[in-house]
Amino acid sequence: MPSNARATHLTRRGLLAAGSALGLGAALAACGNETKGGASSAPSEKAGPWKFTDDRGTAVEAKSTPKNIVAFTGTAAALKDFGIEVKGVFGPTTVKDPKTGAEAPDVQAGDLDVKKVKIIGNVWGEFKIEEYLKLSPELLITDMWEKNDLWYVPAEQKDKILKVAPSVALWAADKSMPFVLQRHADLAASLGADVKTKQIQDDKARFEAAAERVRQAAKGKKDIKVLIGSGSPDLFYVSDPARPTDTLYFKELGVNLVTPTKLDQGGWFEGLSWENVGKYKADIILLDNRTSALQPEALKAKPTWAALPAVKAGQVVPRVTEPIYSYAKCAPLLEDLAKALENAKKVS
């Protein structure tokens, strides 16, 4: 589990209050199993039936290529980079600018035009089914961190939501990053995108070059220990590198990652009190960059954090805990890691 936010989310699934929407039953009955037409979000039309086998092993089918697509924000951002636009999103999409109070794109929104897409949920547990129905959805797409668990689809609403349109789930854990990237490309291609464009091929070449740079940097800095962390007001979470797709790949590339010893039930992390935040020695800290986690400015108030060798040495690097799975977005993650390794000094 990548962070405290994920820990809270997964353990809260059965505790979240069930929100019943007025008139939902009638709306679903009217919708039935029919899908309505809408503006095409795919760059090309594909005649005949559509079929895609997702990472649940489910063969998802439709009479024609889905056009009205609703997706988890990060997945939607990845599809956009591969050439597929969606009509609606759910998940962290906008945040309020602390200085102006204006709505700004969340880090997970990537290059999505957040003023153009319909946001049917912006926080955990929020999925506005009435707004979802208005989009006449033909396909719902999201991540999967645990088998058959649809990310940001509220458990108490899941059955109602999945009656409206077919769903596709793609792994965001337990598989290495290149595999996950390829699966997103495969899905985009099935939806009509040209994933062989020069831009996408250039992005892929950049990703592969960045991976080799990490490999070489790790080879030259074998003694540099890298810790994957996420801060909350009460606890500091040290992630195990074995499950998240990014850290699993970092490990394959030879990065010396800290492995916590007392993991939660899901095998994602170890939660440390702030008094014990220095339990694991580290030269670099990759810090969760999501809006749900404490960022460096807020962490200054934690004396034990400020005393960590990596913090004092200025060797804290933002970690994109939930990557946008396109080559365009993942290449910079590897480049930043390579640079951090190349410049790191042994401080632990």
Side-chain angles (χ1 to χ4, degrees):
M1 186 175 300
S3 77
N4 59 306
R6 178 169 303 288
T8 303
H9 292 166
L10 291 179
T11 55
R12 284 171 57 198
R13 275 198 179 279
L15 302 176
L16 291 171
S20 58
L22 293 175
L24 177 60
L28 287 171
C31 181
N33 292 323
E34 297 294 324
T35 56
K36 300 176 183 179
S40 173
S41 59
S44 65
E45 297 291 337
K46 297 179 73 174
W50 174 83
K51 182 176 180 179
F52 181 81
T53 301
D54 75 357
D55 290 346
R56 295 171 295 185
T58 301
V60 187
E61 301 183 57
K63 293 180 180 179
S64 60
T65 303
K67 301 173 184 178
N68 295 347
I69 300 169
V70 176
F72 170 67
T73 302
T75 313
L79 290 173
K80 179 177 176 60
D81 287 348
F82 282 117
I84 296 295
E85 300 279 354
V86 305
K87 292 188 69 175
V89 295
F90 55 95
T93 308
T94 62
V95 293
K96 286 190 180 295
D97 186 304
K99 294 182 180 179
T100 66
E103 292 292 327
D106 188 275
V107 293
Q108 293 181 247
D111 293 329
L112 288 176
D113 185 342
V114 297
K115 295 181 180 179
K116 180 179 178 182
V117 295
K118 180 66 177 180
I119 302 171
I120 63 172
N122 196 45
V123 296
W124 181 258
E126 181 181 55
F127 193 109
K128 300 173 185 176
I129 301 183
E130 297 96 334
E131 298 301 320
Y132 181 53
L133 290 169
K134 289 177 184 178
L135 294 174
S136 301
E138 297 172 308
L139 184 66
L140 181 144
I141 306 171
T142 190
D143 287 348
M144 184 170 64
W145 290 80
E146 300 281 0
K147 185 68 173 178
N148 298 324
D149 189 51
L150 303 186
W151 192 229
Y152 268 80
V153 175
E156 67 277 6
Q157 294 176 287
K158 180 180 176 181
D159 291 344
K160 293 175 181 178
I161 292 168
L162 296 186
K163 285 180 181 177
V164 177
S167 63
V168 163
L170 295 180
W171 275 119
D174 298 330
K175 301 287 184 181
S176 187
M177 186 174 274
F179 172 91
V180 177
L181 283 165
Q182 185 59 55
R183 290 294 287 152
H184 282 73
D186 292 344
L187 175 59
S190 80
L191 293 169
D194 179 5
V195 297
K196 300 294 185 182
T197 64
K198 183 179 185 303
Q199 182 62 60
I200 293 174
Q201 293 306 303
D202 287 349
D203 291 338
K204 185 175 182 180
R206 179 184 173 189
F207 173 83
E208 291 171 345
E212 183 57 30
R213 182 180 169 189
V214 170
R215 192 189 307 276
Q216 294 304 319
K219 189 179 295 184
K221 294 288 183 75
K222 292 182 180 180
D223 62 333
I224 296 296
K225 296 179 181 179
V226 180
L227 182 146
I228 314 298
S230 182
S232 76
D234 299 323
L235 295 172
F236 183 72
Y237 295 86
V238 179
S239 292
D240 185 88
R243 294 201 65 186
T245 65
D246 60 336
T247 56
L248 179 56
Y249 192 42
F250 300 164
K251 194 173 181 179
E252 291 172 358
L253 292 172
V255 179
N256 183 4
L257 295 170
V258 171
T259 300
T261 56
K262 295 182 179 180
L263 299 180
D264 68 300
Q265 187 176 359
W268 291 101
F269 62 83
E270 178 178 352
L272 301 175
S273 67
W274 283 104
E275 290 78 9
N276 296 311
V277 72
K279 178 179 178 179
Y280 298 104
K281 304 301 181 183
D283 304 292
I284 296 174
I285 297 174
L286 298 186
L287 186 68
D288 188 350
N289 78 329
R290 292 178 299 175
T291 52
S292 59
L294 295 182
Q295 299 307 304
E297 188 62 31
L299 288 171
K300 288 180 179 179
K302 304 286 187 184
T304 52
W305 165 262
L308 293 175
V311 177
K312 290 196 291 186
Q315 295 181 171
V316 177
V317 181
R319 178 203 173 202
V320 181
T321 303
E322 293 187 49
I324 294 170
Y325 289 109
S326 70
Y327 295 108
K329 296 298 186 294
C330 287
L333 308 187
L334 294 177
E335 291 168 348
D336 290 345
L337 176 59
K339 182 179 179 181
L341 288 169
E342 291 162 354
N343 295 332
K345 297 177 180 178
K346 184 68 179 174
V347 294
S348 65

